Amino acid sequence: MSDDIDDLPEEEPDQEAMADEWAAAMAEQGVEEDEDEPEVAAPMPLDEFDEKPLAAAASQDLDVILDIPVNISMEVGSTSISIRNLLQLNQGSVIELDRLAGEPLDVLVNGTLIAHGEVVVVNEKFGIRMTDVVSPSERIKRLK
């Protein structure tokens, strides 16, 4: 068998017939065709753009996330121990942490350090008083 595909004449579509069909379809839809001038949108005056709607939109966007719950935790300290020592822990065991007594606690939101604080008692419950809050730019740096 031989490849005679190259020998077949290529059919070229009738360009004028296609243009007429498109013109008829455009006329049915009520679209006028002007070949000399392309359609350009009218410019909008700059005084119609106001920054107040943008600020309101930003406020609404912020309102969407304000009710999202986050986990906040206070870390007294940490340490590493072997599984053998972990299994030997029982009531009354003492674990030495990497912090000195009286050092401020870390306040973490979803695992990210946002502040340091000290333990207080409020209505017979533990609380924390913020002593140092990490700046927003520093928090962003720590996320990376």
Side-chain angles (χ1 to χ4, degrees):
M1 244 192 227
S2 66
D3 275 333
D4 294 331
I5 295 175
D6 294 333
D7 296 337
L8 295 176
E10 291 184 21
E11 293 183 24
E12 291 185 22
D14 186 9
Q15 297 293 329
E16 288 181 29
M18 286 180 61
D20 290 341
E21 287 179 28
W22 275 103
M26 299 290 273
E28 282 180 22
Q29 295 181 3
V31 177
E32 294 182 20
E33 186 178 335
D34 188 5
E35 294 179 9
D36 297 332
E37 296 181 24
E39 189 175 322
V40 178
M44 181 175 274
L46 291 177
D47 60 342
E48 289 186 26
F49 291 107
D50 189 8
E51 289 188 18
K52 290 181 183 176
L54 294 176
S59 175
Q60 288 175 344
D61 290 343
L62 186 59
D63 287 343
V64 171
I65 66 167
L66 290 179
D67 291 328
I68 295 175
V70 294
N71 293 321
I72 186 167
S73 59
M74 285 37 120
E75 187 175 284
V76 176
S78 61
T79 192
S80 295
I81 62 172
S82 67
I83 293 175
R84 178 182 321 284
N85 290 342
L86 177 66
L87 293 174
Q88 292 174 353
L89 293 177
N90 55 36
Q91 187 173 354
S93 296
V94 176
I95 301 172
E96 184 179 346
L97 301 176
D98 61 353
R99 296 250 173 125
L100 298 174
E103 253 188 279
L105 287 80
D106 290 340
V107 180
L108 306 167
V109 173
N110 287 346
T112 301
L113 178 69
I114 61 147
H116 298 285
E118 58 188 22
V119 176
V120 295
V121 177
V122 180
N123 296 330
E124 298 182 15
K125 294 184 179 181
F126 286 115
I128 189 161
R129 177 182 296 124
M130 305 290 189
T131 57
D132 180 38
V133 178
V134 177
S135 70
S137 60
E138 188 63 31
R139 280 182 253 167
I140 291 171
K141 285 180 187 174
R142 291 181 184 192
L143 290 175
K144 294 179 180 179

